[in-house]
Amino acid sequence: GNITAHLAHDVSRRGRLLDAVDVPLGGLGLPTDTGLYYTKIEIGTPPKPFHVQVDTGSDILWVNCITCDKCPHKSGLGIDLMLYDPKGSSSGSTVSCDQPFCAATYGGKLPGCTASLPCEYSVMYGDGSTTTGYFVSDSLQYNQVSGDGQTRYGNGSVTFGCGAQQGGDLGNTNQALDGIIGFGQSNTSMLSQLAAAGKVKKIFSHCLDTITGGGIFAIGEVVQPKMKSTPLIPNMPHYNVKLKSIDVGGTALQLPSHIFETGEKKGTIIDSGTTLTYLPELVYKEVMAKIFAKHQDMTFRSIQDFLCFQYHER
């Protein structure tokens, strides 16, 4: 693993804006790898399993397609990869460019569009990796929160990307998955589509394990157990929260009040697809000073352009 991959990976996630189901999460939590969370969904009739990365920083769901060029065939995560075949599902259909979903995604009817042309998608991420293909609609099976610690089986028709070509990291076998499921706010997300069809409430919760990269992702409203919530800031392209303070060892850092202000390209984002936590330089220096005041015997080591230190609980 390469720790600098974190940076490229995270930059790519934040550029990933194409504008309650209880799902157990798998993942990779090693700090020297590009950490990620993934889950299993089932698509089609008959349903077939797909392992997709869970990303709250992007919108669309896409999976590798049967016609895919340069798609990985093996995964270092130890999962069996699957290619989606629209013709192999009795409930699958291709979305043509004159359908409302396509016009809504691109803000109007595409020039030169005829009913026989598919609605294409293309995303280039900040690290240079790419996914291109076309939109399809099919049945999606999922577990939905139905009560106190209970889930029930649900399904709904969703429109998602059929990935025909992947480039960059998305074509590598090391941490290969079948695709990405976006939980962003756009109408194109799976959650928005299921909510618009009256299948689920437009709410999700996640409990993410930082050690192994596992946890739980729930679609729908979790009534029990009671959870503490933090309000999100409205009308923002990402999920922004108001960060009030940072404690180190039980003591709040003394920081200027404007440092966490929300605004254009300012504020605090929560994103399951970003591995590292990023702080303004001033805040970072204060955090480090507080840590080293308490642990003066710790020393830095430089690993792949990152300054690292080893810490053991006493």
Side-chain angles (χ1 to χ4, degrees), residues 161-181:
C162 202
Q165 189 165 5
Q166 317 306 353
D169 277 354
L170 291 172
N172 292 347
T173 58
N174 184 23
Q175 296 172 38
L177 288 162
D178 294 319
I180 290 173
I181 186 166

Side-chain angles (χ1 to χ4, degrees), residues 112-127:
C113 167
T114 64
S116 60
L117 289 175
C119 182
E120 296 184 351
Y121 82 89
S122 178
V123 192
M124 179 168 182
Y125 304 133
D127 62 352

Side-chain angles (χ1 to χ4, degrees), residues 237-285:
H238 288 280
Y239 293 120
N240 281 61
V241 291
K242 185 169 174 56
L243 186 60
K244 292 182 176 174
S245 69
I246 293 179
D247 284 16
V248 178
T251 311
L253 298 183
Q254 296 299 305
L255 298 166
S257 57
H258 68 81
I259 198 79
F260 297 125
E261 275 176 3
T262 299
E264 186 78 22
K265 295 190 176 170
K266 283 164 63 181
T268 307
I269 292 167
I270 294 180
D271 180 11
S272 69
T274 299
T275 308
L276 303 175
T277 296
Y278 295 88
L279 298 169
E281 190 173 10
L282 173 72
V283 180
Y284 174 80
K285 283 179 173 169

Side-chain angles (χ1 to χ4, degrees), residues 119-202:
C119 182
E120 296 184 351
Y121 82 89
S122 178
V123 192
M124 179 168 182
Y125 304 133
D127 62 352
S129 63
T130 55
T131 174
T132 58
Y134 56 94
F135 284 113
V136 292
S137 292
D138 207 341
S139 177
L140 175 83
Q141 280 78 32
Y142 53 86
N143 286 313
Q144 183 178 348
V145 173
S146 58
D148 185 359
Q150 302 295 307
T151 60
R152 61 180 164 80
Y153 209 50
N155 70 68
S157 179
V158 293
T159 298
F160 57 94
C162 202
Q165 189 165 5
Q166 317 306 353
D169 277 354
L170 291 172
N172 292 347
T173 58
N174 184 23
Q175 296 172 38
L177 288 162
D178 294 319
I180 290 173
I181 186 166
F183 274 84
Q185 303 171 60
S186 151
N187 291 337
T188 56
S189 76
M190 179 206 82
L191 181 60
S192 294
Q193 292 182 57
L194 290 176
K199 298 275 184 182
V200 296
K201 278 194 172 180
K202 198 174 177 179

Side-chain angles (χ1 to χ4, degrees), residues 17-154:
L17 281 174
L18 252 180
D19 331 300
V21 177
D22 173 25
V23 286
L25 297 173
L28 189 69
L30 297 173
T32 49
D33 272 302
T34 309
L36 50 83
Y37 296 98
Y38 64 88
T39 190
K40 187 174 87 169
I41 55 173
E42 294 192 322
I43 301 173
T45 309
K48 295 200 170 140
F50 294 85
H51 293 85
V52 288
Q53 182 173 346
V54 173
D55 185 16
T56 60
S58 67
D59 296 322
I60 71 164
L61 160 64
W62 63 266
V63 292
N64 291 326
C65 224
I66 195 86
T67 55
C68 181
D69 183 29
K70 297 194 177 75
C71 270
H73 294 282
K74 284 189 172 167
S75 173
L77 294 170
I79 56 173
D80 292 327
L81 297 180
M82 175 75 70
L83 294 173
Y84 173 73
D85 182 4
K87 293 192 175 81
S89 169
S90 63
S91 50
S93 62
T94 302
V95 175
S96 63
C97 71
D98 64 342
Q99 284 176 249
F101 180 91
C102 198
T105 302
Y106 289 104
K109 197 171 171 183
L110 294 170
C113 167
T114 64
S116 60
L117 289 175
C119 182
E120 296 184 351
Y121 82 89
S122 178
V123 192
M124 179 168 182
Y125 304 133
D127 62 352
S129 63
T130 55
T131 174
T132 58
Y134 56 94
F135 284 113
V136 292
S137 292
D138 207 341
S139 177
L140 175 83
Q141 280 78 32
Y142 53 86
N143 286 313
Q144 183 178 348
V145 173
S146 58
D148 185 359
Q150 302 295 307
T151 60
R152 61 180 164 80
Y153 209 50

